[in-house]
Amino acid sequence: MHGEYKVPGGKLVVVDLDVAGGVLRHARVAGDFFLEPDEALDAVNHALNGASADTDAAGLAARIDAALPEGTVMYGLTSEGIAIAVRRALAHATDWTDYDWQLIHEGPQSPTLHMALDEVLTGEVAACHRPPTLRVWEWAAPAVIIGSFQSLRNEVDPAGAERHGIEVVRRISGGGAMFVEPGNTITYSLSVPEALVQGLSFQDSYAYLDDWVLGALGDMGIKAWYQPLNDIATEAGKVAGAAQKRMVGPGGGPGAVLHHVTMAYDIDADKMLEVLRIGREKLSDKGTRSAKKRVDPLRRQTGLAREAVIEQMIDSFRGRYGLTDGKVTPQELARAEELVRTKFGSPEWTSRVP
């Protein structure tokens, strides 16, 4: 069995192993990390061998920590990262490079259609009817997108939304409300097979699926990191928020994961505060007293046009994993438009949590 895991902000960990009699055998850890002293690697392998194949990542990490020689130093490597690579091997997880990725980047579309396309395209990936897909959104209108489980009245000021012509839509994933304007926001979705995140905890899957964009931002001179549970941050503040939805495959089989991210290229903070009800408790949890300081736009940090930021992100993904240009099929678009009519454009869905 073979498993790989890129430690967030660190290096690649590769594990090869066998299972016999319900325990791990012949475990071999490798990668482009740095580890001192040399004998620490043998200690890691020894700690894994003999462990029950049912041991979770935390248990495996504890075994590794207990076996490491005194004074061990890891660079780009963690015990947890090794343990996750083991769990991915046992789960027969796939890697990014195992797939032929498709890019969808089409013209501006309505907020409700974007919600519907996320559901349709991810369902198509779950059914193996389309390849794993990176979809970059273009917005036809400003909007507030609330999480699947958020209370509409608690999150949105209806008078402020009406005054500024802001449409309110509800997405299928959890998480918090996002304020978007066409020229100020960069949004993308990843629709990926469930196998890509096998062996990862829910939290670890966020870091794993965000890693490529951290590299893309790094190429633009921005040091960014994953901030649990679902933020991407820099020294200047938060720049993006992510959300996920797991979809079951046909017949209850392996499905797909929708991972979408909204990035603040620029932001009208005053308008945002008139539309969103951002409570004191949420602000204190983020370690700041001002909602304006929570998000620091990419425009200021990169000095690049929005289109240039998007182009560099796409080029970075293509350079890492390969990416062919595609489009939404007529059949997918028809299904999405039907979902707009029956679900995402209906007051019943938008206010399902009043």
Side-chain angles (χ1 to χ4, degrees):
M1 299 178 184
H2 178 87
E4 298 184 2
Y5 180 65
K6 169 71 164 51
V7 176
K11 299 294 185 176
L12 180 68
V13 182
V14 180
V15 176
D16 292 284
L17 54 83
D18 300 319
V19 174
V23 299
L24 308 187
R25 303 292 186 191
H26 310 120
R28 300 172 299 282
V29 176
D32 59 351
F33 50 78
F34 301 90
L35 179 63
E36 295 289 348
D38 283 351
E39 54 265 29
L41 184 60
D42 291 332
V44 170
N45 292 334
H46 182 74
L48 294 175
N49 286 313
S52 169
D54 294 329
T55 307
D56 62 14
L60 292 171
R63 287 177 65 102
I64 293 168
D65 287 337
L68 290 173
E70 185 176 352
T72 293
V73 179
M74 296 179 172
Y75 298 93
L77 176 70
T78 63
S79 299
E80 292 79 10
I82 298 169
I84 291 170
V86 171
R87 295 307 315 170
R88 285 176 59 75
L90 294 170
H92 302 285
T94 56
D95 185 67
W96 295 83
T97 54
D98 292 332
Y99 300 103
D100 295 322
W101 291 87
Q102 184 175 112
L103 169 69
I104 294 177
H105 187 193
E106 300 182 333
Q109 294 162 320
S110 70
T112 50
L113 186 58
H114 280 306
M115 302 303 110
L117 284 171
D118 264 356
E119 180 169 326
V120 169
L121 297 181
T122 306
E124 290 293 277
V125 172
C128 300
H129 293 161
R130 75 157 26 250
T133 300
L134 167 64
R135 184 171 73 91
V136 179
W137 303 21
E138 294 294 345
W139 293 92
V144 166
I145 303 95
I146 60 175
S148 180
F149 311 108
Q150 287 189 295
S151 163
L152 177 61
R153 67 166 65 99
N154 288 346
E155 299 299 326
V156 181
D157 184 322
E162 182 177 2
R163 182 165 60 253
H164 293 291
I166 305 294
E167 182 177 3
V168 181
V169 296
R170 186 183 294 274
R171 61 180 184 265
I172 60 174
S173 62
M178 307 300 295
F179 173 78
V180 304
E181 294 184 288
N184 292 348
T185 307
I186 298 173
T187 306
Y188 68 86
S189 300
L190 287 169
S191 296
V192 307
E194 185 181 27
L196 184 63
V197 296
Q198 285 290 347
L200 299 178
S201 68
F202 190 75
Q203 177 172 317
D204 289 332
S205 72
Y206 273 85
Y208 185 69
L209 294 176
D210 281 339
D211 188 67
W212 74 274
V213 82
L214 302 185
L217 291 171
D219 293 340
M220 290 178 257
I222 301 176
K223 182 180 179 181
W225 58 86
Y226 162 72
Q227 184 168 294
L229 170 67
N230 62 335
D231 288 348
I232 296 173
T234 71
E235 293 179 352
K238 174 181 172 180
V239 295
Q244 286 187 6
K245 175 68 176 179
R246 307 295 173 101
M247 299 182 68
V248 178
V257 177
L258 167 65
H259 179 92
H260 44 198
V261 174
T262 294
M263 311 179 76
Y265 171 72
D266 205 350
I267 192 166
D268 186 333
D270 292 326
K271 186 186 296 184
M272 178 184 73
L273 292 175
E274 292 182 33
V275 176
L276 294 182
R277 302 185 193 274
I278 301 177
R280 293 181 181 178
E281 184 174 345
K282 180 180 288 188
L283 293 179
S284 64
D285 182 58
K286 300 298 182 181
T288 180
R289 293 184 178 181
S290 170
K292 296 182 181 181
K293 296 179 181 179
R294 285 186 58 202
V295 180
D296 195 85
L298 290 173
R299 179 178 182 177
R300 188 189 66 79
Q301 295 194 50
T302 64
L304 298 172
R306 176 181 177 274
E307 293 74 15
V309 174
I310 292 173
E311 182 178 359
Q312 291 204 31
M313 288 171 56
I314 291 173
D315 287 346
S316 180
F317 192 103
R318 181 178 282 114
R320 284 171 170 240
Y321 310 125
L323 193 61
T324 59
D325 293 339
K327 60 182 180 180
V328 176
T329 68
Q331 295 80 9
E332 290 168 339
L333 181 59
R335 290 174 56 197
E337 289 173 338
E338 177 65 12
L339 278 178
V340 168
R341 188 182 68 81
T342 61
K343 181 177 181 179
F344 293 103
S346 70
E348 291 78 14
W349 169 258
T350 304
S351 61
R352 75 184 190 98
V353 182

